[in-house]
Amino acid sequence: MNMLNRRTFVSTIVGLALVASAPFALADDKKMYIPLISKGFQHQFWQAVKSGADQAAEEFGVDITFEGPDNETMVDRQIDMLSAGLAKKPAAIGFAALDSQAAIPLLKQAKKAGIPIVAFDSGVESDIPVSTATTNNVAAAALAADKMSELIGGKGKVAIVAHDQTSRTGIDRRDGFMNRMKEKHPGIEVVSVQYGAGDQLQSTEISKSILTAYPDLKGMFGTNEGSAIGVVNGARESARKGLIIIGYDSGAAQKKAIMDGLMAGAITQNPVGIGYETVKAAVMSARGEKVELLIDTGFYYYDAKTINDPKIAAVLYD
């Protein structure tokens, strides 16, 4: 599906509140400038977020930039990007934190300068952001745990391959999955949690190591696109049959793995909606308008049976 032409699904399927009035404009006809500092570009997820941000920028008549480090371990590089964006004295900034605490000193500078910060995808350990556009990752990971329990019969050992342990998304997806198992599925033991930086190759090697250490493992959960594909590759290279794999996000490789029966299913977010709502909230904040503190952009679980359901297909991407 073409991710650059998604207004129909944003307004009707997902139920995002699109603004029907004329685009925002400054009194002197100069466009607002809003930099978005992402966690990276290495996954199709971020390209989908960018497409939603571009859509909102066009609709509201503002200029945006969208950049991120080469991979999701480069916290220092992301901080440099945030510092450079702040130095340009923008109207507002969108920020998806790789580390939920590392950027706080710069965010304090932004607040002092009167520059609103809108967090997206991954929040920070601070009340400085005026809004956060994100998935309820705790609830989404809990749903993944429920599906895992159902598929392995409520008993057995499972493992997690996570993208990191510093971002809000990494923490919430890991803990959402583990806590749900403890609370609702006591017959299931999470025997290993490993971190592969969202990198397919690292996650593949980690998955192979886990499978070697636990030959009786029944399932694995990959907490983002790269992690999930790494798990699939690790299971394939280890010739492990019957392992239940649940992923997170979408992308062509993950969708194919589901259709081929290598992955049981995955959680999909609404990346276009995340990008759109981030820019919308940034514009409103820069104009002094009230915005919601938390913008929940929604999620679904999908598998081979539901992947073509219109409401799910609308938020999947290649």
Side-chain angles (χ1 to χ4, degrees), residues 33-41 46 49-54 56-57 62-69 78 81-82 85 90 92-96 118-120 271 274-280 282-283:
Y33 169 59
I34 302 170
L36 274 67
I37 312 302
S38 172
K39 292 166 74 173
F41 269 112
W46 296 115
V49 173
K50 181 180 182 299
S51 72
D54 288 340
V62 300
D63 286 331
I64 69 168
T65 53
F66 192 101
E67 62 178 338
Q78 188 189 49
M81 290 177 173
L82 177 60
I93 294 177
F95 183 59
V118 177
F120 66 98
I274 290 173
Y276 180 93
E277 290 291 347
T278 298
V279 172
K280 176 183 173 183
V283 171

mmCIF file of all heavy atoms in Angstrom, residues 33-41 46 49-54 56-57 62-69 78 81-82 85 90 92-96 118-120 271 274-280 282-283:
data_model
loop_
_atom_site.group_PDB
_atom_site.id
_atom_site.type_symbol
_atom_site.label_atom_id
_atom_site.label_comp_id
_atom_site.label_asym_id
_atom_site.label_seq_id
_atom_site.Cartn_x
_atom_site.Cartn_y
_atom_site.Cartn_z
ATOM 1 N N TYR A 33 9.036 26.211 11.229
ATOM 2 C CA TYR A 33 10.005 25.138 11.014
ATOM 3 C C TYR A 33 9.965 24.208 12.220
ATOM 4 O O TYR A 33 10.107 24.642 13.370
ATOM 5 C CB TYR A 33 11.412 25.686 10.821
ATOM 6 C CG TYR A 33 12.467 24.608 10.874
ATOM 7 C CD1 TYR A 33 12.447 23.530 9.976
ATOM 8 C CD2 TYR A 33 13.470 24.637 11.828
ATOM 9 C CE1 TYR A 33 13.406 22.527 10.039
ATOM 10 C CE2 TYR A 33 14.436 23.642 11.893
ATOM 11 C CZ TYR A 33 14.398 22.589 10.999
ATOM 12 O OH TYR A 33 15.334 21.597 11.068
ATOM 13 N N ILE A 34 9.749 22.917 11.949
ATOM 14 C CA ILE A 34 9.647 21.921 13.017
ATOM 15 C C ILE A 34 10.542 20.728 12.669
ATOM 16 O O ILE A 34 10.199 19.937 11.778
ATOM 17 C CB ILE A 34 8.192 21.446 13.209
ATOM 18 C CG1 ILE A 34 7.283 22.624 13.532
ATOM 19 C CG2 ILE A 34 8.111 20.381 14.303
ATOM 20 C CD1 ILE A 34 5.803 22.291 13.505
ATOM 21 N N PRO A 35 11.687 20.567 13.323
ATOM 22 C CA PRO A 35 12.506 19.371 13.090
ATOM 23 C C PRO A 35 11.969 18.184 13.879
ATOM 24 O O PRO A 35 11.551 18.331 15.031
ATOM 25 C CB PRO A 35 13.882 19.796 13.598
ATOM 26 C CG PRO A 35 13.600 20.810 14.654
ATOM 27 C CD PRO A 35 12.324 21.518 14.250
ATOM 28 N N LEU A 36 11.980 17.033 13.260
ATOM 29 C CA LEU A 36 11.632 15.785 13.944
ATOM 30 C C LEU A 36 12.886 14.932 14.045
ATOM 31 O O LEU A 36 13.503 14.598 13.025
ATOM 32 C CB LEU A 36 10.536 15.023 13.186
ATOM 33 C CG LEU A 36 9.086 15.411 13.514
ATOM 34 C CD1 LEU A 36 8.789 16.835 13.043
ATOM 35 C CD2 LEU A 36 8.103 14.436 12.877
ATOM 36 N N ILE A 37 13.261 14.602 15.271
ATOM 37 C CA ILE A 37 14.446 13.789 15.525
ATOM 38 C C ILE A 37 13.963 12.385 15.858
ATOM 39 O O ILE A 37 13.404 12.132 16.924
ATOM 40 C CB ILE A 37 15.288 14.346 16.681
ATOM 41 C CG1 ILE A 37 15.521 15.854 16.517
ATOM 42 C CG2 ILE A 37 16.613 13.582 16.776
ATOM 43 C CD1 ILE A 37 16.207 16.252 15.244
ATOM 44 N N SER A 38 14.175 11.475 14.929
ATOM 45 C CA SER A 38 13.696 10.104 15.044
ATOM 46 C C SER A 38 14.736 9.211 15.732
ATOM 47 O O SER A 38 15.862 9.637 16.007
ATOM 48 C CB SER A 38 13.383 9.578 13.638
ATOM 49 O OG SER A 38 13.079 8.213 13.646
ATOM 50 N N LYS A 39 14.348 7.970 15.962
ATOM 51 C CA LYS A 39 15.286 6.991 16.522
ATOM 52 C C LYS A 39 16.147 6.361 15.439
ATOM 53 O O LYS A 39 17.131 5.693 15.738
ATOM 54 C CB LYS A 39 14.511 5.903 17.275
ATOM 55 C CG LYS A 39 13.841 6.420 18.539
ATOM 56 C CD LYS A 39 12.815 5.454 19.087
ATOM 57 C CE LYS A 39 13.442 4.256 19.742
ATOM 58 N NZ LYS A 39 12.406 3.411 20.405
ATOM 59 N N GLY A 40 15.782 6.555 14.172
ATOM 60 C CA GLY A 40 16.579 5.985 13.102
ATOM 61 C C GLY A 40 15.830 6.004 11.783
ATOM 62 O O GLY A 40 14.699 6.491 11.684
ATOM 63 N N PHE A 41 16.485 5.475 10.760
ATOM 64 C CA PHE A 41 15.889 5.317 9.441
ATOM 65 C C PHE A 41 15.952 3.873 8.971
ATOM 66 O O PHE A 41 15.507 3.547 7.878
ATOM 67 C CB PHE A 41 16.634 6.182 8.405
ATOM 68 C CG PHE A 41 16.076 7.553 8.236
ATOM 69 C CD1 PHE A 41 16.802 8.661 8.639
ATOM 70 C CD2 PHE A 41 14.832 7.748 7.687
ATOM 71 C CE1 PHE A 41 16.296 9.938 8.480
ATOM 72 C CE2 PHE A 41 14.314 9.014 7.529
ATOM 73 C CZ PHE A 41 15.053 10.123 7.928
ATOM 74 N N TRP A 46 9.996 3.679 10.360
ATOM 75 C CA TRP A 46 10.317 5.101 10.431
ATOM 76 C C TRP A 46 9.978 5.819 9.133
ATOM 77 O O TRP A 46 9.621 7.001 9.144
ATOM 78 C CB TRP A 46 11.778 5.309 10.811
ATOM 79 C CG TRP A 46 12.069 4.800 12.188
ATOM 80 C CD1 TRP A 46 12.892 3.771 12.538
ATOM 81 C CD2 TRP A 46 11.485 5.272 13.413
ATOM 82 N NE1 TRP A 46 12.855 3.576 13.893
ATOM 83 C CE2 TRP A 46 12.011 4.473 14.456
ATOM 84 C CE3 TRP A 46 10.581 6.280 13.729
ATOM 85 C CZ2 TRP A 46 11.645 4.662 15.790
ATOM 86 C CZ3 TRP A 46 10.221 6.469 15.053
ATOM 87 C CH2 TRP A 46 10.753 5.663 16.063
ATOM 88 N N VAL A 49 6.368 6.540 9.514
ATOM 89 C CA VAL A 49 6.175 7.691 10.403
ATOM 90 C C VAL A 49 6.443 8.983 9.635
ATOM 91 O O VAL A 49 5.680 9.955 9.718
ATOM 92 C CB VAL A 49 7.095 7.599 11.636
ATOM 93 C CG1 VAL A 49 7.007 8.888 12.471
ATOM 94 C CG2 VAL A 49 6.720 6.400 12.508
ATOM 95 N N LYS A 50 7.527 8.992 8.862
ATOM 96 C CA LYS A 50 7.879 10.180 8.079
ATOM 97 C C LYS A 50 6.781 10.540 7.084
ATOM 98 O O LYS A 50 6.475 11.727 6.884
ATOM 99 C CB LYS A 50 9.199 9.957 7.342
ATOM 100 C CG LYS A 50 9.657 11.163 6.516
ATOM 101 C CD LYS A 50 10.955 10.875 5.813
ATOM 102 C CE LYS A 50 11.445 12.095 5.023
ATOM 103 N NZ LYS A 50 10.489 12.512 3.980
ATOM 104 N N SER A 51 6.172 9.531 6.464
ATOM 105 C CA SER A 51 5.121 9.828 5.487
ATOM 106 C C SER A 51 3.931 10.511 6.148
ATOM 107 O O SER A 51 3.319 11.411 5.577
ATOM 108 C CB SER A 51 4.686 8.553 4.757
ATOM 109 O OG SER A 51 3.937 7.698 5.597
ATOM 110 N N GLY A 52 3.592 10.087 7.374
ATOM 111 C CA GLY A 52 2.519 10.752 8.102
ATOM 112 C C GLY A 52 2.891 12.172 8.488
ATOM 113 O O GLY A 52 2.061 13.090 8.431
ATOM 114 N N ALA A 53 4.156 12.360 8.883
ATOM 115 C CA ALA A 53 4.626 13.708 9.223
ATOM 116 C C ALA A 53 4.605 14.612 7.994
ATOM 117 O O ALA A 53 4.200 15.782 8.075
ATOM 118 C CB ALA A 53 6.036 13.623 9.803
ATOM 119 N N ASP A 54 5.030 14.078 6.859
ATOM 120 C CA ASP A 54 5.007 14.871 5.617
ATOM 121 C C ASP A 54 3.580 15.266 5.246
ATOM 122 O O ASP A 54 3.327 16.388 4.775
ATOM 123 C CB ASP A 54 5.625 14.060 4.473
ATOM 124 C CG ASP A 54 7.134 13.917 4.584
ATOM 125 O OD1 ASP A 54 7.757 14.719 5.294
ATOM 126 O OD2 ASP A 54 7.676 12.981 3.963
ATOM 127 N N ALA A 56 1.052 15.758 7.291
ATOM 128 C CA ALA A 56 0.605 16.830 8.181
ATOM 129 C C ALA A 56 1.292 18.147 7.843
ATOM 130 O O ALA A 56 0.659 19.215 7.890
ATOM 131 C CB ALA A 56 0.883 16.445 9.636
ATOM 132 N N ALA A 57 2.585 18.090 7.507
ATOM 133 C CA ALA A 57 3.307 19.317 7.166
ATOM 134 C C ALA A 57 2.675 20.012 5.968
ATOM 135 O O ALA A 57 2.521 21.241 5.941
ATOM 136 C CB ALA A 57 4.771 18.985 6.880
ATOM 137 N N VAL A 62 3.529 23.878 7.039
ATOM 138 C CA VAL A 62 4.764 24.089 7.796
ATOM 139 C C VAL A 62 5.912 23.335 7.136
ATOM 140 O O VAL A 62 5.710 22.415 6.340
ATOM 141 C CB VAL A 62 4.605 23.628 9.262
ATOM 142 C CG1 VAL A 62 3.490 24.403 9.942
ATOM 143 C CG2 VAL A 62 4.339 22.124 9.348
ATOM 144 N N ASP A 63 7.138 23.735 7.464
ATOM 145 C CA ASP A 63 8.331 23.041 7.005
ATOM 146 C C ASP A 63 8.825 22.105 8.098
ATOM 147 O O ASP A 63 8.912 22.514 9.275
ATOM 148 C CB ASP A 63 9.442 24.033 6.661
ATOM 149 C CG ASP A 63 9.188 24.768 5.360
ATOM 150 O OD1 ASP A 63 8.516 24.183 4.480
ATOM 151 O OD2 ASP A 63 9.651 25.915 5.230
ATOM 152 N N ILE A 64 9.131 20.875 7.728
ATOM 153 C CA ILE A 64 9.691 19.937 8.683
ATOM 154 C C ILE A 64 10.953 19.307 8.106
ATOM 155 O O ILE A 64 11.164 19.299 6.890
ATOM 156 C CB ILE A 64 8.702 18.818 9.068
ATOM 157 C CG1 ILE A 64 8.446 17.866 7.882
ATOM 158 C CG2 ILE A 64 7.403 19.377 9.624
ATOM 159 C CD1 ILE A 64 7.728 16.582 8.263
ATOM 160 N N THR A 65 11.791 18.811 8.996
ATOM 161 C CA THR A 65 12.864 17.891 8.619
ATOM 162 C C THR A 65 12.684 16.642 9.459
ATOM 163 O O THR A 65 12.111 16.688 10.547
ATOM 164 C CB THR A 65 14.252 18.498 8.854
ATOM 165 O OG1 THR A 65 14.347 18.967 10.215
ATOM 166 C CG2 THR A 65 14.512 19.644 7.903
ATOM 167 N N PHE A 66 13.160 15.522 8.938
ATOM 168 C CA PHE A 66 13.010 14.246 9.639
ATOM 169 C C PHE A 66 14.336 13.511 9.528
ATOM 170 O O PHE A 66 14.767 13.156 8.429
ATOM 171 C CB PHE A 66 11.892 13.416 8.990
ATOM 172 C CG PHE A 66 11.461 12.213 9.788
ATOM 173 C CD1 PHE A 66 10.309 12.252 10.556
ATOM 174 C CD2 PHE A 66 12.210 11.033 9.764
ATOM 175 C CE1 PHE A 66 9.899 11.139 11.286
ATOM 176 C CE2 PHE A 66 11.812 9.925 10.486
ATOM 177 C CZ PHE A 66 10.654 9.979 11.248
ATOM 178 N N GLU A 67 15.007 13.315 10.641
ATOM 179 C CA GLU A 67 16.296 12.648 10.629
ATOM 180 C C GLU A 67 16.475 11.794 11.877
ATOM 181 O O GLU A 67 15.790 11.984 12.883
ATOM 182 C CB GLU A 67 17.437 13.658 10.542
ATOM 183 C CG GLU A 67 17.513 14.606 11.731
ATOM 184 C CD GLU A 67 18.681 15.565 11.642
ATOM 185 O OE1 GLU A 67 19.651 15.257 10.918
ATOM 186 O OE2 GLU A 67 18.641 16.612 12.306
ATOM 187 N N GLY A 68 17.397 10.842 11.771
ATOM 188 C CA GLY A 68 17.709 9.992 12.902
ATOM 189 C C GLY A 68 19.065 9.351 12.682
ATOM 190 O O GLY A 68 19.600 9.367 11.568
ATOM 191 N N PRO A 69 19.657 8.772 13.722
ATOM 192 C CA PRO A 69 20.969 8.139 13.590
ATOM 193 C C PRO A 69 20.905 6.864 12.753
ATOM 194 O O PRO A 69 19.822 6.362 12.439
ATOM 195 C CB PRO A 69 21.365 7.848 15.031
ATOM 196 C CG PRO A 69 20.077 7.760 15.774
ATOM 197 C CD PRO A 69 19.147 8.721 15.105
ATOM 198 N N GLN A 78 22.155 10.918 18.298
ATOM 199 C CA GLN A 78 20.810 11.493 18.359
ATOM 200 C C GLN A 78 20.800 12.781 19.182
ATOM 201 O O GLN A 78 20.133 13.755 18.816
ATOM 202 C CB GLN A 78 19.815 10.495 18.948
ATOM 203 C CG GLN A 78 18.381 10.997 18.833
ATOM 204 C CD GLN A 78 17.378 10.150 19.581
ATOM 205 O OE1 GLN A 78 17.583 9.838 20.755
ATOM 206 N NE2 GLN A 78 16.298 9.771 18.908
ATOM 207 N N MET A 81 21.960 15.552 17.099
ATOM 208 C CA MET A 81 20.912 15.998 16.177
ATOM 209 C C MET A 81 19.901 16.887 16.893
ATOM 210 O O MET A 81 19.445 17.903 16.337
ATOM 211 C CB MET A 81 20.212 14.790 15.567
ATOM 212 C CG MET A 81 21.059 14.003 14.596
ATOM 213 S SD MET A 81 20.181 12.540 13.981
ATOM 214 C CE MET A 81 21.346 11.978 12.730
ATOM 215 N N LEU A 82 19.551 16.517 18.109
ATOM 216 C CA LEU A 82 18.613 17.321 18.889
ATOM 217 C C LEU A 82 19.208 18.687 19.192
ATOM 218 O O LEU A 82 18.532 19.720 19.084
ATOM 219 C CB LEU A 82 18.253 16.591 20.184
ATOM 220 C CG LEU A 82 17.327 17.321 21.152
ATOM 221 C CD1 LEU A 82 15.987 17.628 20.498
ATOM 222 C CD2 LEU A 82 17.125 16.500 22.425
ATOM 223 N N GLY A 85 19.112 20.786 16.067
ATOM 224 C CA GLY A 85 17.750 21.241 15.806
ATOM 225 C C GLY A 85 17.359 22.383 16.718
ATOM 226 O O GLY A 85 16.743 23.363 16.295
ATOM 227 N N PRO A 90 13.640 26.514 16.301
ATOM 228 C CA PRO A 90 12.412 26.137 15.593
ATOM 229 C C PRO A 90 11.167 26.538 16.371
ATOM 230 O O PRO A 90 11.238 26.925 17.544
ATOM 231 C CB PRO A 90 12.529 24.613 15.512
ATOM 232 C CG PRO A 90 13.285 24.247 16.761
ATOM 233 C CD PRO A 90 14.282 25.354 16.956
ATOM 234 N N ALA A 92 8.826 24.401 17.149
ATOM 235 C CA ALA A 92 8.618 23.265 18.051
ATOM 236 C C ALA A 92 9.540 22.152 17.566
ATOM 237 O O ALA A 92 10.134 22.237 16.487
ATOM 238 C CB ALA A 92 7.165 22.804 18.036
ATOM 239 N N ILE A 93 9.668 21.097 18.377
ATOM 240 C CA ILE A 93 10.513 19.962 18.019
ATOM 241 C C ILE A 93 9.749 18.674 18.303
ATOM 242 O O ILE A 93 9.098 18.538 19.344
ATOM 243 C CB ILE A 93 11.834 19.945 18.811
ATOM 244 C CG1 ILE A 93 12.709 21.151 18.443
ATOM 245 C CG2 ILE A 93 12.619 18.652 18.546
ATOM 246 C CD1 ILE A 93 13.997 21.238 19.249
ATOM 247 N N GLY A 94 9.833 17.714 17.370
ATOM 248 C CA GLY A 94 9.351 16.366 17.617
ATOM 249 C C GLY A 94 10.540 15.479 17.943
ATOM 250 O O GLY A 94 11.559 15.532 17.250
ATOM 251 N N PHE A 95 10.410 14.647 18.983
ATOM 252 C CA PHE A 95 11.566 13.882 19.452
ATOM 253 C C PHE A 95 11.156 12.485 19.884
ATOM 254 O O PHE A 95 10.276 12.320 20.724
ATOM 255 C CB PHE A 95 12.237 14.615 20.620
ATOM 256 C CG PHE A 95 13.481 13.951 21.141
ATOM 257 C CD1 PHE A 95 14.559 13.724 20.301
ATOM 258 C CD2 PHE A 95 13.565 13.570 22.477
ATOM 259 C CE1 PHE A 95 15.721 13.111 20.783
ATOM 260 C CE2 PHE A 95 14.715 12.961 22.962
ATOM 261 C CZ PHE A 95 15.801 12.728 22.116
ATOM 262 N N ALA A 96 11.808 11.480 19.287
ATOM 263 C CA ALA A 96 11.606 10.075 19.668
ATOM 264 C C ALA A 96 12.870 9.591 20.349
ATOM 265 O O ALA A 96 13.878 9.290 19.691
ATOM 266 C CB ALA A 96 11.300 9.218 18.438
ATOM 267 N N VAL A 118 7.340 17.804 21.416
ATOM 268 C CA VAL A 118 6.348 16.746 21.275
ATOM 269 C C VAL A 118 7.097 15.425 21.131
ATOM 270 O O VAL A 118 7.867 15.247 20.175
ATOM 271 C CB VAL A 118 5.436 16.977 20.055
ATOM 272 C CG1 VAL A 118 4.467 15.806 19.892
ATOM 273 C CG2 VAL A 118 4.667 18.290 20.207
ATOM 274 N N ALA A 119 6.915 14.550 22.089
ATOM 275 C CA ALA A 119 7.544 13.235 22.002
ATOM 276 C C ALA A 119 6.726 12.353 21.066
ATOM 277 O O ALA A 119 5.503 12.476 21.002
ATOM 278 C CB ALA A 119 7.636 12.601 23.385
ATOM 279 N N PHE A 120 7.422 11.463 20.337
ATOM 280 C CA PHE A 120 6.683 10.518 19.503
ATOM 281 C C PHE A 120 7.323 9.150 19.554
ATOM 282 O O PHE A 120 8.520 9.017 19.726
ATOM 283 C CB PHE A 120 6.536 11.014 18.058
ATOM 284 C CG PHE A 120 7.796 11.136 17.248
ATOM 285 C CD1 PHE A 120 8.177 10.130 16.359
ATOM 286 C CD2 PHE A 120 8.589 12.268 17.337
ATOM 287 C CE1 PHE A 120 9.318 10.254 15.586
ATOM 288 C CE2 PHE A 120 9.731 12.409 16.561
ATOM 289 C CZ PHE A 120 10.102 11.383 15.691
ATOM 290 N N PRO A 271 1.981 3.772 12.336
ATOM 291 C CA PRO A 271 3.103 4.708 12.177
ATOM 292 C C PRO A 271 2.751 5.976 11.431
ATOM 293 O O PRO A 271 3.263 7.059 11.764
ATOM 294 C CB PRO A 271 4.146 3.875 11.428
ATOM 295 C CG PRO A 271 3.369 2.811 10.735
ATOM 296 C CD PRO A 271 2.230 2.492 11.653
ATOM 297 N N ILE A 274 1.154 8.192 13.887
ATOM 298 C CA ILE A 274 2.121 8.744 14.834
ATOM 299 C C ILE A 274 2.793 9.984 14.238
ATOM 300 O O ILE A 274 2.909 11.023 14.886
ATOM 301 C CB ILE A 274 3.176 7.682 15.217
ATOM 302 C CG1 ILE A 274 2.543 6.591 16.090
ATOM 303 C CG2 ILE A 274 4.361 8.328 15.957
ATOM 304 C CD1 ILE A 274 3.465 5.420 16.383
ATOM 305 N N GLY A 275 3.255 9.853 12.991
ATOM 306 C CA GLY A 275 3.907 10.992 12.344
ATOM 307 C C GLY A 275 2.974 12.168 12.163
ATOM 308 O O GLY A 275 3.339 13.327 12.431
ATOM 309 N N TYR A 276 1.745 11.875 11.718
ATOM 310 C CA TYR A 276 0.762 12.935 11.494
ATOM 311 C C TYR A 276 0.451 13.672 12.801
ATOM 312 O O TYR A 276 0.464 14.914 12.863
ATOM 313 C CB TYR A 276 -0.513 12.347 10.900
ATOM 314 C CG TYR A 276 -1.580 13.381 10.638
ATOM 315 C CD1 TYR A 276 -1.697 13.988 9.398
ATOM 316 C CD2 TYR A 276 -2.450 13.778 11.649
ATOM 317 C CE1 TYR A 276 -2.652 14.965 9.162
ATOM 318 C CE2 TYR A 276 -3.409 14.752 11.426
ATOM 319 C CZ TYR A 276 -3.507 15.342 10.186
ATOM 320 O OH TYR A 276 -4.447 16.311 9.961
ATOM 321 N N GLU A 277 0.157 12.911 13.839
ATOM 322 C CA GLU A 277 -0.255 13.525 15.105
ATOM 323 C C GLU A 277 0.886 14.287 15.764
ATOM 324 O O GLU A 277 0.660 15.262 16.487
ATOM 325 C CB GLU A 277 -0.803 12.460 16.054
ATOM 326 C CG GLU A 277 -2.140 11.874 15.626
ATOM 327 C CD GLU A 277 -3.289 12.859 15.740
ATOM 328 O OE1 GLU A 277 -3.133 13.919 16.365
ATOM 329 O OE2 GLU A 277 -4.375 12.561 15.200
ATOM 330 N N THR A 278 2.127 13.857 15.538
ATOM 331 C CA THR A 278 3.273 14.573 16.101
ATOM 332 C C THR A 278 3.368 15.977 15.524
ATOM 333 O O THR A 278 3.515 16.959 16.262
ATOM 334 C CB THR A 278 4.575 13.802 15.816
ATOM 335 O OG1 THR A 278 4.505 12.521 16.443
ATOM 336 C CG2 THR A 278 5.789 14.557 16.345
ATOM 337 N N VAL A 279 3.284 16.077 14.214
ATOM 338 C CA VAL A 279 3.365 17.393 13.576
ATOM 339 C C VAL A 279 2.150 18.247 13.949
ATOM 340 O O VAL A 279 2.280 19.439 14.251
ATOM 341 C CB VAL A 279 3.492 17.253 12.052
ATOM 342 C CG1 VAL A 279 3.389 18.616 11.369
ATOM 343 C CG2 VAL A 279 4.815 16.585 11.700
ATOM 344 N N LYS A 280 0.992 17.644 13.949
ATOM 345 C CA LYS A 280 -0.224 18.386 14.317
ATOM 346 C C LYS A 280 -0.103 18.967 15.726
ATOM 347 O O LYS A 280 -0.391 20.158 15.952
ATOM 348 C CB LYS A 280 -1.433 17.465 14.238
ATOM 349 C CG LYS A 280 -2.747 18.111 14.686
ATOM 350 C CD LYS A 280 -3.875 17.098 14.642
ATOM 351 C CE LYS A 280 -5.152 17.675 15.249
ATOM 352 N NZ LYS A 280 -6.244 16.676 15.286
ATOM 353 N N ALA A 282 2.641 19.539 17.400
ATOM 354 C CA ALA A 282 3.714 20.531 17.430
ATOM 355 C C ALA A 282 3.216 21.883 16.920
ATOM 356 O O ALA A 282 3.525 22.937 17.491
ATOM 357 C CB ALA A 282 4.894 20.043 16.589
ATOM 358 N N VAL A 283 2.449 21.872 15.840
ATOM 359 C CA VAL A 283 1.900 23.114 15.286
ATOM 360 C C VAL A 283 0.954 23.772 16.294
ATOM 361 O O VAL A 283 1.039 24.978 16.559
ATOM 362 C CB VAL A 283 1.169 22.842 13.963
ATOM 363 C CG1 VAL A 283 0.409 24.082 13.496
ATOM 364 C CG2 VAL A 283 2.154 22.394 12.889
#
